[in-house]
Amino acid sequence: MKTNQKDQIMEAALRLFAEKGYGNTSIAAIAREAGVAQGLMYNYFDSKEDLLRGLLEKGFQGVQESMSAYNEPHPPQKAIAMHITATFAHVAGNKDFWRLFHAIKLQDQVQAYINTEYAEAKTFILKTLATNFKKLGYKSPNEESKLFFAMIDGLVVNHLMDPKSFSLNSIKKLILKKYHI
Amino acid sequence: MKTNQKDQIMEAALRLFAEKGYGNTSIAAIAREAGVAQGLMYNYFDSKEDLLRGLLEKGFQGVQESMSAYNEPHPPQKAIAMHITATFAHVAGNKDFWRLFHAIKLQDQVQAYINTEYAEAKTFILKTLATNFKKLGYKSPNEESKLFFAMIDGLVVNHLMDPKSFSLNSIKKLILKKYHI
Amino acid sequence: MKTNQKDQIMEAALRLFAEKGYGNTSIAAIAREAGVAQGLMYNYFDSKEDLLRGLLEKGFQGVQESMSAYNEPHPPQKAIAMHITATFAHVAGNKDFWRLFHAIKLQDQVQAYINTEYAEAKTFILKTLATNFKKLGYKSPNEESKLFFAMIDGLVVNHLMDPKSFSLNSIKKLILKKYHI
Amino acid sequence: MKTNQKDQIMEAALRLFAEKGYGNTSIAAIAREAGVAQGLMYNYFDSKEDLLRGLLEKGFQGVQESMSAYNEPHPPQKAIAMHITATFAHVAGNKDFWRLFHAIKLQDQVQAYINTEYAEAKTFILKTLATNFKKLGYKSPNEESKLFFAMIDGLVVNHLMDPKSFSLNSIKKLILKKYHI
DNA sequence: TATGAATGAGCGTTCATTCAT
DNA sequence: AATGAATGAACGCTCATTCAT
């Protein structure tokens, strides 16, 4: 009957952080949105910042899981295609997380978590991409992978800002064609 | 001898907003950094938010000016090259502005200014790019321009996050090659 | 096997109140220290303040008992010696209670309990001392008893603050000599 | 026309801390008592604890000044008499400070300041008393000085708790007689 | 009797903003 | 134009207390 209140708090917090920004969201607002007393959050998280960390961690775990496909070897073209597909699908299904993440990633204070969780994933992705580009005969696979990564990143952010103009799926085809996939 | 105090305030604010974030920067800190009294800011701006708006406006004016080259007709390849060069140069010379902008752009409250100032520039750039891509014979010039725009955007953001790994200039060459320029 | 949980709560509370102060000790901390659930305290006490009252009452009962020796008549010199010995012994065996009591005794809110429990004991002691000093021929037995009482009180407090410098036993001999006992 | 608001805050805080205890006094109550906005305190003190420290420091400065008489050499009997007189006078004129101090001195958290400011004064007083008792031919001047110090201390505390019963001046004469002064 | 999740009032603190000078 | 002391609303957080189990 009673849904998990910790989850309700996290959902409410993620929604509000994404919508209004971390700094503009009060604990009171989260509690109201979650339909819960203000103090309850502190049974599950040490502080507002710890709640943010919890949300980011949970989000990155989802990313990690959606990236598990890379653990098995694939032909490079398929691997790249899968990367795009998986990324776009994860963004589509976790818009609030990605809005929050991209809104926060440039702030020094948060770079700590990001450097742990995100930087690893980023490094892994860049390496995997470089390997695949090398297999495909690209001249500068490292630069190529950075460019590719930045392109996907930029697409995601622009999609989050203005989903109608920047439809991920319509551009996906163009990318595949561009990379002869 | 005495420099314009309004400019000093704006410079201090931009520096601190970029460094610590808008929400984590107090009026007191800005006044301290600018070497003026706390109340002085309110002679020039109605509020802290108005100061932010002022900074964004000024920044976008700079962007507009650096884009004035587009007003004159150029061969499409040169136009695209110029766009990249101008963008990267503006970013290199206005890191604080771009850090602030990208840190803030996803928040609903700020989208108001952005929809006025930035969206216009964005639309203009997208149209110009599309025109040029069309001239160059690309099949889907609109999608192509969005992809290109997102790529540049993503590069800039990744550069701002980690300038050493994402050197703009080393990737610039790759882009030019990619687009046969 | 299972000790009385009420006693465990009271012991934990006394320890923590003495160590960290009443105001700095939370019910949660007491429950943790006592190894019981947070809510259990309210089965035995109406409130945190009532728990404090319970601790003070129990402490004063102990004082009362250790003073029972006075109920039997003694030669005045022996009575005074016994008072010192009993007091110092009780302090040595109940440091936490005395720390708590002396830390709290000056606050108006607590004076209520003190005026009931403690004031009676104090009055009794002062009277007994005065009687004995009178028997010993002192000119102002009332003033003399107050001075004596304050001296013992001051020694105890200074001992609690700094046991090494203010050793009760080494000063006890000096007092006995001073009063020709 | 306008009295110093920092002083008003300190006075209000000292009064309330002495009356209700440090932990039971809110910043809001201090501001109300001082007739001032809540936030103003933080223009003068970093925190509530810093305000407490400020009050204790100011109080100890007063003690130091009232002890300046000891800097000049006096015959031992006069020195002791002066100590009593100065102490009682200072207590009479600074009841709130002494109530606050004695209510707080047993708490570990505050012992830091006390060990700096107060412990020095205490050590100085104990040494001076011991010197004077030695000059007067007492057998154990160190123990004697501790006993004397504790006696005065106890008298002050009992006076603060119950000024009517423990009149300092009526007991002062008894002390002087006791020490043949 | 015992649990501990949930509550919500109240705290210390910050800070955008005002205003007398 | 310029100052900075003063304001007070709002924040993050704590914790005594309650209550369904």
Side-chain angles (χ1 to χ4, degrees), chain A residues 162-179:
Chain A
D162 184 1
K164 287 170 192 165
S165 298
F166 277 82
S167 155
L168 292 181
N169 283 326
S170 70
I171 294 179
K172 182 180 167 184
K173 295 169 194 164
L174 186 57
I175 300 173
L176 295 178
K177 208 181 299 172
K178 237 183 174 46
Y179 285 90

Side-chain angles (χ1 to χ4, degrees), chain B residues 100-118:
Chain B
L100 170 58
F101 170 68
H102 281 117
I104 246 178
K105 71 183 175 207
L106 282 170
Q107 287 169 33
D108 268 353
Q109 313 181 341
V110 194
Q111 304 239 355
Y113 328 140
I114 290 178
N115 284 341
T116 330
E117 308 282 339
Y118 174 63

Side-chain angles (χ1 to χ4, degrees), chain A residues 5 37 39-40 43-44:
Chain A
Q5 294 194 267
L40 185 56
N43 284 17
Y44 303 114

Side-chain angles (χ1 to χ4, degrees), chain A residues 99 106 144 146 165 178, chain B residues 99 106 144 146 165 178:
Chain A
R99 277 184 74 89
L106 282 171
E144 199 75 46
K146 284 176 196 169
S165 298
K178 237 183 174 46
Chain B
R99 276 186 75 89
L106 282 170
E144 198 76 46
K146 285 177 195 168
S165 298
K178 235 182 177 47

Side-chain angles (χ1 to χ4, degrees), chain A residues 50-131:
Chain A
D50 190 44
L51 169 58
L52 171 63
R53 187 165 24 232
L55 290 173
L56 292 177
E57 264 173 28
K58 193 184 170 191
F60 284 129
Q61 272 176 23
V63 177
Q64 210 82 10
E65 286 165 18
S66 91
M67 284 190 346
S68 61
Y70 297 104
N71 291 332
E72 300 171 32
H74 291 289
Q77 284 171 326
K78 183 165 190 197
I80 290 171
M82 283 173 69
H83 173 66
I84 299 173
T85 304
T87 301
F88 285 8
H90 193 268
V91 168
N94 299 274
K95 282 198 176 190
D96 282 342
F97 165 69
W98 286 107
R99 277 184 74 89
L100 170 57
F101 170 68
H102 280 118
I104 242 175
K105 70 183 176 206
L106 282 171
Q107 286 167 33
D108 271 349
Q109 316 179 340
V110 195
Q111 304 242 355
Y113 329 140
I114 290 179
N115 285 342
T116 329
E117 308 280 340
Y118 173 62
E120 274 179 36
K122 188 172 171 177
T123 303
F124 173 73
I125 292 171
L126 285 172
K127 276 188 187 169
T128 309
L129 286 171
T131 306

